[in-house]
């Protein structure tokens, strides 16, 4: 019985690690291309980004309280490089390019890790 419990625990651990893998470039395109991604913020609100299939990304915080502290809406570019999603906006983040590793945590949720180590969660809608 004890061996069975240990084996079951190992299988659960291995299954959890498999689902914790970062997404491939192809998976990233399928997951967010043409979708809206709502970034969770530390302020208890979500910031929406629309990832068009043509490589354009539009962030629109005009309906959030964050919109009063920054340019509320901007369109930039997004692309996949290897197994990372990259994006760049004309003025947001001083025009710097950032790349992200993505890990799907549920049918419509993900975790992201930016190339500078900053990380967070997001929700995906159609």
């Amino acid at each position: 019985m004890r061996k069975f419990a240990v084996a079951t625990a190992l299988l659960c651990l291995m299954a959890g690690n498999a689902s914790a893998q970062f997404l491939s470039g192809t998976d990233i395109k399928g997951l967010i291309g043409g979708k809206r991604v709502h970034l969770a913020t530390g302020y208890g609100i979500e910031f929406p980004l629309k990832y068009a299939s043509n490589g354009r990304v539009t962030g629109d915080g005009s309906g959030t309280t964050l919109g009063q502290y920054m340019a509320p809406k901007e369109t930039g570019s997004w692309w996949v490089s290897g197994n990372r999603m990259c994006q760049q906006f004309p003025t947001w983040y001083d025009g710097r390019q950032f790349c992200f590793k993505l890990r799907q945590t549920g049918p419509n949720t993900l975790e992201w890790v930016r190339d500078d180590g900053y990380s967070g969660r997001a929700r995906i809608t159609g």
Side-chain angles (χ1 to χ4, degrees):
M1 185 65 157
R2 185 175 183 188
K3 287 182 184 180
F4 177 75
V6 170
T8 302
L10 285 174
L11 285 174
C12 290
L13 182 61
M14 288 176 11
N17 286 341
S19 65
Q21 297 293 322
F22 288 109
L23 298 173
S24 70
T26 302
D27 290 338
I28 290 169
K29 287 179 187 176
L31 183 64
I32 68 171
K35 305 272 180 34
R36 189 173 308 276
V37 176
H38 305 266
L39 301 178
T41 70
Y43 304 105
I45 59 172
E46 293 181 325
F47 190 86
L49 294 161
K50 173 69 175 170
Y51 289 89
S53 297
N54 67 0
R56 306 299 290 162
V57 56
T58 300
D60 187 357
S62 56
T64 70
T65 54
L66 291 177
Q68 60 187 316
Y69 299 107
M70 55 183 256
K73 185 174 182 178
E74 188 160 272
T75 298
S77 299
W78 79 278
W79 62 97
V80 171
S81 177
N83 291 329
R84 300 177 310 152
M85 184 277 297
C86 300
Q87 65 186 24
Q88 186 173 25
F89 291 91
T91 63
W92 287 356
Y93 301 104
D94 295 321
R96 289 179 48 204
Q97 169 188 311
F98 286 103
C99 294
F100 304 79
K101 293 180 190 176
L102 304 179
R103 179 184 358 252
Q104 194 165 2
T105 56
N108 298 308
T109 57
L110 61 86
E111 292 177 345
W112 52 267
V113 179
R114 196 166 67 187
D115 49 14
D116 62 359
Y118 191 69
S119 62
R121 294 173 291 113
R123 180 176 61 87
I124 305 163
T125 60

